[in-house]
Amino acid sequence: RKEIFRGDDEPQLRIHRKKTINAIMASASAPPPAKDEKTIPFLRSLTEMLQNNKELISFVPGKKTATETIQGKILVHDRIRVQTEVLPIYFNHASFASLRRQLSYFSFIRVGK
């Protein structure tokens, strides 16, 4: 069962980020951090999860035009499979609600219901 969320009227979960998520995904293609540089484990796991599971959960980069800023989005295409197959691999849980709480902590907002 696909959960319906509003955001441009598309039937997908959309979690927008208030700040730029593009920076997170851009850093994914960058070289690994130096040994003395600290990275946030959740953001590192999130980036890996998004890169390796595009058919279930994907990232759509935002963009900035002269007149507007469109926020980056995380789209969850199949919530049940993400919860049962993907989350346990990248996090210490299989709870979609826990993922939402973590995203909220990093200034993501859930759009629609």
Side-chain angles (χ1 to χ4, degrees):
R1 180 177 142 219
K2 187 179 266 192
E3 191 166 340
I4 307 296
F5 292 82
R6 227 169 3 118
D8 298 352
D9 297 321
E10 290 184 31
Q12 298 171 2
L13 168 65
R14 291 175 177 250
I15 301 172
H16 291 240
R17 188 159 198 266
K18 291 178 185 174
K19 299 173 186 171
T20 177
I21 188 173
N22 295 334
I24 295 170
M25 294 307 290
S27 69
S29 59
K35 289 183 181 183
D36 59 338
E37 184 179 337
K38 294 183 179 181
T39 59
I40 299 171
F42 171 74
L43 296 178
R44 186 174 45 245
S45 296
L46 177 65
T47 302
E48 289 175 20
M49 179 179 71
L50 292 169
Q51 289 176 328
N52 298 331
N53 299 283
K54 293 179 181 178
E55 70 283 354
L56 300 176
I57 184 168
S58 60
F59 171 72
V60 178
K63 61 182 175 180
K64 196 176 227 179
T65 65
T67 58
E68 68 179 333
T69 299
I70 299 171
Q71 300 294 326
K73 302 169 190 167
I74 295 175
L75 304 176
V76 178
H77 307 289
D78 188 336
R79 177 182 170 163
I80 301 300
R81 286 187 61 203
V82 167
Q83 189 167 314
T84 58
E85 299 172 20
V86 177
L87 292 181
I89 295 171
Y90 296 95
F91 303 103
N92 294 327
H93 61 78
S95 168
F96 197 78
S98 182
L99 175 65
R100 274 200 314 249
R101 277 191 299 276
Q102 289 176 301
L103 289 170
S104 177
Y105 178 80
F106 286 96
S107 301
F108 287 83
I109 57 172
R110 181 177 174 192
V111 177
K113 188 171 180 183

